Amino acid sequence: MIEFEKLKIVTGYEFLKHIRRKRLWIILGLTLIAELVVLILFPVLMDGYPKNVMIMAIMLTIGPAFATFGAIFFAGDAIAGEFENKTGYILFTNPVRRTTLVIGKYLACYAAVILLVIFGYVIVSISLLVIYGNIPFETLKSFGLCLLYVGGVLSVTFFFSSVSKGAMGATVITLVFIMVIFGILESVLMMADKPVWFLLSTAGDSMMYVYGGFELLLEGIVPSGSTGMMPFAFETPDIGLCAYAMVGYIIVGFVLSVWISKRRQLA
Amino acid sequence: MSETIVIEDLTKYYGKFLALDKLSLRVEEYENVGLLGPNGAGKSTTLKILCGLLKASSGTAYIGDINVAQKPEQALSRIGAIVETPEFYSFLTPVETLSYLGRLRGMQGESLRNRINEVIELVRLEEWAKVKIEKFSRGMKQRLALAQSLLHDPPVLILDEPALGLDPRGVVEFRQIIEEAGTKKTVFFASHQLTEVTQICNQVAIIDRGKLLAYDSVDELEKKYQSLEHAYLELTGGSFD
């Protein structure tokens, strides 16, 4: 039996796992709530929807951005869970390469998160079509960047899952790494007027910047569009560089997780 | 008869702790060998190395003529194993679990479905065949573990305390299944239960602190030490007092 056939089997059953788990449906529900909050509160608090469709598109991208959290919650236990829950004693005693197992798990996680992201972008598209009568082409670009971001987050989570003893630890470490560590680094680098495009969290924000940069995003939040309240100048990172950075995270994180998983022993 | 399991100078360190100390053992085809020893003797470590779950610090392990460390997938294709107290994916049913594992081993279609029904019947899980494993007790999971080890009809069974968690009826049923399987397979079986070992195995290996202390037939050990219990206690430093 060729390894590709085994990969298809592993991916299929891992995907079934995600479909049957509550966490997929919880994140799906929260994504919907996030979009509804924007759609309901914006006209109530801001005296109607913004005239610029791009600003509304940026605001609505919060839904798909939220959906990307699924990557952390799905992938946190992908590898660590096999060791922590002892399911590895059954799975690893089968004639399947660890590499195949990790790739299958990765693809299944990716497919599950893509479902969530598509759900988010469907809401974005329908909302923009109903409110403005058109969907900007940038929505497609934003979707592509979101998929890259999901891949980056998945790879980083897989890396932490491959080195962690427990699934909860892997999930928390990844959240802290992306949300806190990168957040602090971003602030420090921005204050020092240094580039930040290589940080995964910043690169991920490109799914919003693609609609018209940071200034437009600020315009959506601050009606005057003033950036004077910022303690430092912020220049929108180059979208291309952000995309390259995310591809880098995808490759490095994934390769490391496969390498470590192959060597990890089930004592 | 050829040797199905060959262990040569197997050594395993966990950090500084020596779990296996140049252990050597040869199990011939269709032999049923019980691996006995106190807690921490190295029984599970030996079985895990044979199943490719652990890497030996030095030495080699073969299943048939296949080096487990060098060609783990080929070696594993000949093995059916229960290691420690395995867990299953709670979101799957026994039928789905066995279908998943069977397909990974190249089984498919009608023959896989028939074989799944056979092993589920064998371990008496018919009523639970389509119930999610999240609702299963320890004993039911152990029955499923036995089912998955027999699913692909492997020539070698490697079992680590497989009766753990089973009720008395389950233990008796389990022994019967292994005894029956043992007539056509090589069984390498770690246990603390001496009676279980005498009922299932014709050969016994006693190890302690990673060293092989004795490896002989149950009859020979009983002749030499009066009983298997005496042999075990004498060799592992225990006493009846």
Side-chain angles (χ1 to χ4, degrees):
Chain A
M1 188 183 188
I2 59 168
E3 213 61 25
F4 182 67
E5 287 299 317
K6 292 177 187 175
L7 176 65
K8 285 199 291 188
I9 294 164
V10 173
T11 308
Y13 277 91
E14 284 291 325
F15 185 70
L16 180 66
K17 172 172 83 178
H18 297 305
I19 294 294
R20 287 189 179 175
R21 275 173 151 182
K22 283 181 190 154
R23 58 186 78 173
L24 183 133
W25 304 103
I26 289 170
I27 295 172
L28 195 80
L30 291 173
T31 302
L32 179 63
I33 290 169
E35 298 290 46
L36 287 175
V37 166
V38 173
L39 285 167
I40 293 167
L41 285 187
F42 218 103
V44 171
L45 301 174
M46 307 288 276
D47 200 21
Y49 291 114
K51 286 176 185 164
N52 189 342
V53 64
M54 296 296 197
I55 294 174
M56 193 60 192
I58 291 173
M59 299 311 292
L60 284 169
T61 304
I62 197 163
F66 187 83
T68 60
F69 278 110
I72 300 174
F73 291 104
F74 296 164
D77 68 348
I79 299 167
E82 297 291 350
F83 293 83
E84 184 183 25
N85 304 327
K86 296 186 175 183
T87 46
Y89 287 125
I90 293 294
L91 191 61
F92 298 154
T93 52
N94 284 282
V96 189
R97 289 181 190 161
R98 290 269 177 101
T99 307
T100 306
L101 292 172
V102 177
I103 295 173
K105 283 169 175 285
Y106 188 92
L107 291 176
C109 278
Y110 214 141
V113 185
I114 285 174
L115 271 185
L116 293 172
V117 169
I118 288 174
F119 175 72
Y121 275 98
V122 165
I123 297 176
V124 172
S125 302
I126 291 173
S127 304
L128 294 177
L129 198 62
V130 169
I131 299 167
Y132 298 96
N134 74 81
I135 306 165
F137 179 69
E138 282 76 7
T139 307
L140 193 62
K141 291 183 187 172
S142 174
F143 176 68
L145 289 163
C146 189
L147 294 188
L148 283 181
Y149 181 62
V150 168
V153 174
L154 265 183
S155 289
V156 170
T157 315
F158 262 69
F159 166 72
F160 284 119
S161 187
S162 67
V163 295
S164 298
K165 280 190 175 174
M168 183 59 78
T171 306
V172 172
I173 290 170
T174 310
L175 278 170
V176 169
F177 188 70
I178 294 176
M179 309 298 291
V180 181
I181 306 288
F182 277 165
I184 294 167
L185 273 173
E186 186 178 0
S187 301
V188 172
L189 289 168
M190 277 163 54
M191 278 188 215
D193 201 21
K194 300 288 181 195
V196 289
W197 58 267
F198 55 86
L199 299 172
L200 182 56
S201 52
T202 313
D205 288 342
S206 62
M207 74 179 94
M208 294 181 185
Y209 298 147
V210 76
Y211 287 106
F214 183 70
E215 295 73 19
L216 195 67
L217 175 64
L218 209 64
E219 207 177 299
I221 304 164
V222 185
S224 63
S226 168
T227 55
M229 59 191 280
M230 299 284 285
F232 43 80
F234 181 80
E235 199 177 315
T236 304
D238 183 273
I239 302 293
L241 286 176
C242 289
Y244 281 127
M246 290 190 283
V247 170
Y249 281 100
I250 291 173
I251 295 169
V252 174
F254 179 70
V255 169
L256 279 176
S257 67
V258 171
W259 190 78
I260 295 165
S261 301
K262 276 174 74 175
R263 279 151 187 79
R264 194 164 168 180
Q265 300 185 57
L266 193 47
Chain B
M1 278 205 282
S2 60
E3 286 155 341
T4 308
I5 298 172
V6 178
I7 294 166
E8 285 176 348
D9 291 331
L10 214 55
T11 302
K12 176 67 184 175
Y13 280 95
Y14 294 110
K16 287 181 180 174
F17 176 72
L18 180 62
L20 288 181
D21 188 4
K22 293 187 176 175
L23 184 76
S24 294
L25 199 69
R26 288 168 186 268
V27 180
E28 293 193 346
E29 200 175 9
Y30 305 130
E31 261 188 357
N32 297 343
V33 177
L35 189 60
L36 289 172
N39 291 327
K43 302 187 297 294
S44 293
T45 301
T46 308
L47 300 194
K48 284 175 186 174
I49 291 171
L50 282 169
C51 292
L53 298 170
L54 285 178
K55 286 189 172 65
S57 305
S58 65
T60 43
Y62 296 90
I63 300 292
D65 53 356
I66 302 162
N67 186 321
V68 178
Q70 286 175 359
K71 295 176 180 172
E73 288 83 29
Q74 278 189 42
L76 288 171
S77 67
R78 295 183 176 198
I79 292 175
I82 303 177
V83 183
E84 292 215 348
T85 47
E87 283 293 336
F88 294 89
Y89 293 134
S90 58
F91 62 93
L92 293 178
T93 67
V95 168
E96 289 167 340
T97 301
L98 295 173
S99 178
Y100 180 24
L101 301 174
R103 289 178 66 195
L104 283 179
R105 289 184 176 273
M107 302 166 78
Q108 54 185 330
E110 195 64 29
S111 61
L112 174 59
R113 279 192 289 276
N114 290 340
R115 182 62 185 157
I116 288 171
N117 290 336
E118 271 176 40
V119 290
I120 280 183
E121 202 177 315
L122 191 68
V123 300
R124 304 208 171 173
L125 277 178
E126 302 100 312
E127 286 177 28
W128 298 85
K130 290 179 180 172
V131 177
K132 280 190 188 168
I133 296 168
E134 64 190 3
K135 295 188 170 64
F136 278 28
S137 67
R138 176 74 265 149
M140 288 158 73
K141 286 178 189 170
Q142 208 65 14
R143 284 170 186 266
L144 182 57
L146 184 59
Q148 66 81 32
S149 72
L150 295 167
L151 179 68
H152 50 294
D153 198 16
V156 181
L157 279 180
I158 292 178
L159 310 170
D160 185 8
E161 300 279 1
L164 213 65
L166 291 173
D167 56 35
R169 195 180 116 190
V171 172
V172 173
E173 287 168 0
F174 154 80
R175 279 181 199 157
Q176 287 169 348
I177 293 167
I178 300 296
E179 268 185 274
E180 166 73 20
T183 58
K184 292 165 275 179
K185 298 179 192 300
T186 306
V187 180
F188 196 43
F189 172 74
S191 179
H192 284 112
Q193 304 296 320
L194 301 186
T195 47
E196 195 171 78
V197 169
T198 51
Q199 282 177 8
I200 294 171
C201 305
N202 40 31
Q203 295 278 115
V204 170
I206 299 175
I207 64 170
D208 192 15
R209 295 174 189 178
K211 281 183 186 286
L212 182 66
L213 305 176
Y215 183 33
D216 215 332
S217 68
V218 175
D219 290 342
E220 284 300 315
L221 285 171
E222 283 179 341
K223 267 187 210 167
K224 201 171 170 185
Y225 295 91
Q226 291 181 310
S227 69
L228 188 60
E229 200 173 27
H230 275 96
Y232 178 83
L233 288 172
E234 205 167 301
L235 289 165
T236 58
S239 76
F240 282 102
D241 298 331

